[in-house]
Amino acid sequence: MVEKETKTDKSDFLQLVREAIGRKTPLLYAPDYPPLKSNYTRQQEKVRTITAKNLARKSKILDQLIENASFAGWNVHRVSDHESAAEKIGEIAASVKAKLAVRTTETILKSVNVDGALRSKKVTPVVLASGRYRSKSDLKEVAFKADLGISGVSFAIAETASCVLIPRKGVARLTSLAPPVFVAIVQADQVLENLDDYFAMVRLQFQKTRGRYPNYTNFVSGPSRTADIEQTLTIGVHGPGIVHMVLVG
Amino acid sequence: MAEVKTAKFKKASSQAVSDPKLQNTLEHVMGHFIEARAGAIEEFGDESWDQMRERASSIKKHALENLDYYLDLIDRTIQKNGGHVHFAKDTQEANRIVLDIAKKAEAKRVIKSKSMVSEEMGLNKALEKAGIEPVETDLGEYIIQLADEPPFHIIAPAMHKTKQEVSELFQDWLRTAPTQDIKQLCIIARDALREKFSTADIGVSGANFVVAETGTVVLVTNEGNGRMTTSTPKIHIAVSGIEKVLPAIEDVGLFLRLLPRSATGQRITSYNTFVSGPKFSTDEDGPEEFHLIMVDNGRLNLMRDPEFREALKCIRCGACLNTCPIYRKVGGHSYGWVYPGPIGAVITPVLTNIKQSKDLPYASTLCGACRDVCPVKIDIPKLLLKLRHMAVEGDSSQRSVSWIERLMIGQWRKTVSTRSSIERATNLARFLQVVVTKKGIIRNLPLPLISGWTKSRDFPALAPKSFAQLWQEKFSEETDG
Ligand code: SF4
């Protein structure tokens, strides 16, 4: 069966939009919109200022993160070094009676020896990376079977208690999503004060890479939740219902 | 397009107001929403919250006035990111684009995270007709899909269902044991949907925002189904109204502050997902194909009129529903299409059929509460008035006004006779905008609803709280004397 192709052409569509706005022809120049105007150098300057500000306010921002994260339903554990981070994660795994834990391969997981800590609690650690599985569905299967997911973060945002997760090689999307318990390892120097700090940095990175910016990012800002039945808050629907933030430094 | 039942507004609302169970639910849930929102915006203080709304409103205004440019930019950016952008004039075309993609992929199962535009499209029905199984994965949407009902509320689609009813649906469809435990009901849904997640070929999501600069679809969710939908299947299709555009990535922070606070009273939702294209080849998982469908479906009719264009600023937070005295009585289904409440009363007639929807603009007391809570400052009462002018000539307007008046007063009488609770009577008086005396005599105030729409243009907005106070003063006068 061949259906007649009547797909609206992009230029026709844009012309309809234009006419509805009350214009006959395309704009000759980009609209005058300040957030789109600042060039790479100026953006760099902006981000430099942000970084300096966050450095100066570091301890305040960390306090803010801890307060907001606790409020948002994170279990926050502040530790001073990598060793105690690993130990803490072992304890968390034991406390939820985990058998199988999946993790990413980020740099922080080379410093924090979670595998050792997990094994000492009789938990099997597995790296969730497609190279290790025959097919994508095998990876899914392992992720869905795991009791615990462990990953580092790209940033954390104090204002919203968000962990910014950017999937890439060694960082599967499902690590932080499929298991019922999730542990995020946050390093103190990854913490930004607010959303605007973060988006300024994204923009800089976008400019720097000429648009080759990662296609997928998630903020995780607490446990999976719903209030869809009788407006009653319930934790842990499709994502992890228990979330831990191990803050190092 | 989803079936339009707006012509039945009167009948449906009469039924809704005389349904005690529904009235109870509405009162309970709406009160909860309003409280949560108030708590969440408190940290900013009125002035700076107002400035944020002002800024958001002007960003949306700019985006709409240059929409052709930004849509083109979105297309170019997403293409560069490795994705595809489609433009659909109407829902039929949008459905066909989805079906074409599905056929090419030989898809059998589609998982969906919440999308109001796909509700407009009636996408589930279209998929079913093509032999493809659509599965809603947002818990509320899943429930109403099983019940075969439209959403009751923009952000709480199944708020009208009791746990008992949900349990019965699950018993029928999933053969699970009856339970009144909400946590258990969530687990049942989670388990049923897990299987769907791991086997679906396509994930369909909506879009809360589409950022032109970076070609990024932003999803604001709580359950994690939005992440699943954009992670497990090999194809991700996002459907969006053309008005969802934000020009710059640095605009997003402001809107992420406004939307969840206005919607659920959260500082932020549990998840925000940013999708700009398919997975990179080096990524471990994620869809290999990404499509964004930008849907018009009558939005350009709003765009053409500089005043109605304002309605396209809407970010679908639902705050105007929660605060609306009429929505709080007639509920979501009475409005007869996809978008209920004050914003639904404005856009539904234009997006569907003005003649058929002629009663919707009267689903308002013009009290102004919707305008006051709107995070993008849409002057909804003004637009409703304009629609009234457009939709009716002479008498019939008066008839409609007195109709909703009668409906509400009837409801008021019942309330006073069955429950003398001051609280309930206060609520009713507040939305009726009448003063109630001890003997149950209603004294009209020269307010919009009562005096008809012709004079109401100049009438100052009435904040619900201050009216409640006014009424209470009157009440105590009467009782003291
Ligand atoms: S009109 Fe305003 S208040 Fe109503 S849903 Fe849209 S953004 Fe929210």
Side-chain angles (χ1 to χ4, degrees):
Chain A
M1 191 178 75
V2 182
E3 272 181 35
K4 218 176 92 199
E5 189 57 47
T6 51
K7 206 180 148 195
T8 303
D9 179 70
K10 173 181 154 188
S11 59
D12 291 351
F13 191 91
L14 294 184
Q15 188 59 29
L16 290 173
V17 175
R18 215 166 277 138
E19 281 166 13
I21 296 169
R23 228 177 332 100
K24 290 249 149 43
T25 52
L27 295 172
L28 290 175
Y29 305 99
D32 187 17
Y33 191 67
L36 289 175
K37 280 277 153 79
S38 103
N39 61 20
Y40 181 64
T41 321
R42 263 166 53 208
Q43 193 71 15
Q44 217 172 10
E45 198 47 53
K46 182 172 180 179
V47 168
R48 227 178 265 137
T49 314
I50 290 171
T51 313
K53 172 209 66 165
N54 285 350
L55 197 65
R57 296 168 51 82
K58 188 170 171 182
S59 79
K60 249 206 161 126
I61 292 172
L62 288 181
D63 289 346
Q64 197 194 341
L65 173 69
I66 294 167
E67 191 190 324
N68 291 343
S70 309
F71 180 77
W74 287 96
N75 302 285
V76 186
H77 316 274
R78 189 160 187 187
V79 296
S80 51
D81 54 33
H82 294 154
E83 242 160 70
S84 19
E87 206 175 299
K88 190 48 89 210
I89 294 169
E91 280 169 28
I92 293 167
S95 76
V96 297
K97 301 189 173 61
K99 290 193 177 62
L100 176 67
V102 289
R103 69 165 177 89
T104 60
T105 60
E106 289 153 297
T107 331
I108 182 70
L109 281 139
K110 294 191 172 73
S111 321
V112 178
N113 179 14
V114 294
D115 288 2
L118 290 169
R119 283 201 191 96
S120 78
K121 305 282 184 190
K122 307 215 167 7
V123 183
T124 312
V126 170
V127 169
L128 201 62
S130 59
R132 298 170 196 244
Y133 303 95
R134 281 192 309 279
S135 71
K136 208 178 142 182
S137 54
D138 289 351
L139 181 142
K140 269 192 241 178
E141 214 173 282
V142 174
F144 280 129
K145 234 174 38 200
D147 308 298
L148 179 70
I150 303 160
S151 111
V153 306
S154 295
F155 295 100
I157 302 168
E159 176 190 359
T160 50
S162 308
C163 286
V164 181
L165 307 179
I166 305 181
R168 56 191 180 278
K169 188 159 182 51
V171 184
R173 301 181 187 206
L174 288 177
T175 317
S176 55
L177 177 61
V181 184
F182 172 57
V183 180
I185 309 172
V186 177
Q187 296 157 270
D189 59 5
Q190 293 179 309
V191 183
L192 307 173
E193 183 173 23
N194 59 44
L195 291 167
D196 301 322
D197 294 353
Y198 169 74
F199 287 111
M201 290 190 172
V202 171
R203 181 158 195 269
L204 181 68
Q205 202 56 29
F206 188 80
Q207 289 176 315
K208 194 170 162 183
T209 56
R210 295 181 184 281
R212 285 302 286 167
Y213 188 79
N215 274 348
Y216 197 75
T217 300
N218 262 297
F219 289 179
V220 177
S221 311
S224 154
R225 64 180 89 216
T226 185
D228 275 352
I229 303 176
E230 293 196 356
Q231 221 41 31
T232 305
L233 182 66
T234 313
I235 295 300
V237 200
H238 302 297
I242 301 175
V243 291
H244 291 267
M245 187 187 289
V246 177
L247 179 58
V248 191
Chain B
M1 186 156 85
E3 198 184 342
V4 182
K5 298 179 190 157
T6 47
K8 295 188 187 127
F9 179 71
K10 286 186 183 181
K11 193 166 159 234
S13 3
S14 308
Q15 275 166 0
V17 296
S18 49
D19 176 347
K21 199 198 86 195
L22 184 65
Q23 290 304 313
N24 249 331
T25 311
L26 279 164
E27 203 168 312
H28 168 72
V29 177
M30 296 294 103
H32 176 95
F33 271 130
I34 288 181
E35 238 170 68
R37 176 187 169 276
I41 64 177
E42 215 167 53
E43 64 178 295
F44 292 106
D46 288 348
E47 201 175 310
S48 87
W49 180 253
D50 195 62
Q51 281 166 8
M52 287 160 68
R53 292 166 66 216
E54 196 62 56
R55 245 182 76 213
S57 187
S58 65
I59 291 173
K60 285 301 256 186
K61 181 169 188 277
H62 170 85
L64 292 167
E65 281 168 358
N66 298 282
L67 192 61
D68 57 328
Y69 175 86
Y70 288 121
L71 288 174
D72 182 46
L73 183 58
I74 286 168
D75 178 53
R76 284 183 284 126
T77 322
I78 289 186
Q79 259 188 50
K80 206 168 145 199
N81 297 345
H84 309 271
V85 179
H86 311 259
F87 296 96
K89 263 191 273 207
D90 50 30
T91 56
Q92 215 185 337
E93 199 175 338
N95 281 329
R96 200 176 47 233
I97 294 167
V98 176
L99 288 176
D100 283 349
I101 298 168
K103 275 182 202 154
K104 218 170 114 199
E106 294 176 19
K108 293 186 182 58
R109 180 175 282 161
V110 170
I111 48 170
K112 287 182 64 204
S113 76
K114 200 164 158 305
S115 151
M116 296 305 284
V117 176
S118 77
E119 295 281 350
E120 277 179 54
M121 290 158 61
L123 176 60
N124 290 356
K125 293 268 179 304
L127 286 168
E128 277 165 12
K129 244 174 95 185
I132 300 164
E133 182 198 6
V135 184
E136 294 287 352
T137 60
D138 172 88
L139 181 58
E141 291 279 345
Y142 182 58
I143 292 167
I144 62 165
Q145 187 188 19
L146 294 182
D148 194 21
E149 285 175 22
F152 195 87
H153 187 284
I154 298 179
I155 58 156
M159 57 155 275
H160 59 301
K161 292 273 180 232
T162 61
K163 55 190 177 201
Q164 172 80 32
E165 289 167 317
V166 175
S167 172
E168 280 161 18
L169 278 171
F170 287 178
Q171 287 165 56
D172 290 350
W173 288 93
L174 307 170
R175 315 233 157 275
T176 49
T179 174
Q180 297 285 308
D181 180 3
I182 291 176
K183 172 89 196 167
Q184 186 56 34
L185 290 168
C186 287
I187 291 171
I188 292 172
R190 172 193 168 105
D191 291 346
L193 289 170
R194 278 264 149 146
E195 197 235 309
K196 311 278 183 190
F197 282 129
S198 47
T199 52
D201 309 290
I202 296 180
V204 172
S205 76
N208 289 96
F209 308 105
V210 184
V211 183
E213 181 181 19
T214 53
T216 306
V217 169
V218 184
L219 300 174
V220 177
T221 67
N222 268 312
E223 297 180 1
N225 62 314
R227 295 179 67 194
M228 285 284 186
T229 304
T230 57
S231 292
T232 55
K234 60 178 185 288
I235 299 171
H236 170 206
I237 304 173
V239 289
S240 171
I242 48 173
E243 80 283 14
K244 289 293 171 74
V245 174
L246 296 181
I249 191 72
E250 287 186 88
D251 295 331
V252 177
L254 172 67
F255 283 87
L256 286 186
R257 289 189 186 103
L258 286 169
L259 176 57
R261 283 182 175 83
S262 304
T264 50
Q266 288 172 282
R267 184 175 278 164
I268 196 158
T269 52
S270 292
Y271 304 119
N272 292 103
T273 305
F274 302 82
V275 190
S276 317
K279 75 183 268 269
F280 287 168
S281 59
T282 46
D283 286 357
E284 305 296 347
D285 50 1
E288 284 145 26
E289 252 182 63
F290 171 69
H291 300 265
L292 170 63
I293 307 176
M294 299 300 282
V295 184
D296 168 11
N297 195 33
R299 285 162 173 78
L300 290 183
N301 294 335
L302 291 164
M303 183 73 113
R304 258 174 221 117
D305 182 302
E307 278 180 308
F308 278 125
R309 185 178 297 170
E310 225 193 304
L312 292 174
K313 292 177 179 171
C314 174
I315 58 172
R316 307 276 187 261
C317 71
C320 59
L321 281 60
N322 303 339
T323 197
C324 175
I326 301 292
Y327 178 91
R328 294 172 64 145
K329 284 292 153 192
V330 304
H333 286 164
S334 301
Y335 294 80
W337 198 52
V338 177
Y339 302 104
I343 189 63
V346 172
I347 64 175
T348 304
V350 187
L351 297 191
T352 61
N353 175 324
I354 293 190
K355 268 225 151 66
Q356 204 185 110
S357 315
K358 66 176 179 4
D359 291 327
L360 289 188
Y362 295 93
S364 168
T365 64
L366 303 178
C367 71
C370 51
R371 178 190 50 214
D372 295 345
V373 295
C374 178
V376 285
K377 288 200 155 180
I378 301 171
D379 192 345
I380 298 175
K382 187 182 82 185
L383 299 178
L384 287 172
L385 273 172
K386 189 164 167 161
L387 272 173
R388 291 181 188 185
H389 283 291
M390 280 168 61
V392 292
E393 315 88 15
D395 274 6
S396 56
S397 66
Q398 291 299 337
R399 231 184 305 142
S400 278
V401 169
S402 57
W403 166 78
I404 194 127
E405 184 182 346
R406 271 201 314 276
L407 175 68
M408 295 300 153
I409 288 171
Q411 168 69 9
W412 175 81
R413 283 220 176 87
K414 233 177 2 197
T415 306
V416 192
S417 59
T418 53
R419 293 174 60 174
S420 56
S421 136
I422 291 181
E423 169 59 18
R424 290 202 92 190
T426 308
N427 280 340
L428 273 154
R430 190 157 69 213
F431 83 75
L432 278 171
Q433 304 191 325
V434 296
V435 174
V436 183
T437 69
K438 200 172 153 196
K439 292 185 191 80
I441 298 161
I442 301 165
R443 188 145 41 90
N444 289 358
L445 284 179
L447 294 186
L449 173 74
I450 308 301
S451 61
W453 54 271
T454 41
K455 291 176 203 138
S456 59
R457 245 189 200 290
D458 313 299
F459 204 84
L462 193 65
K465 250 229 179 89
S466 61
F467 186 77
Q469 284 158 357
L470 174 75
W471 183 85
Q472 255 158 352
E473 281 162 29
K474 291 271 174 197
F475 187 84
S476 50
E477 263 174 41
E478 304 276 356
T479 42
D480 287 352

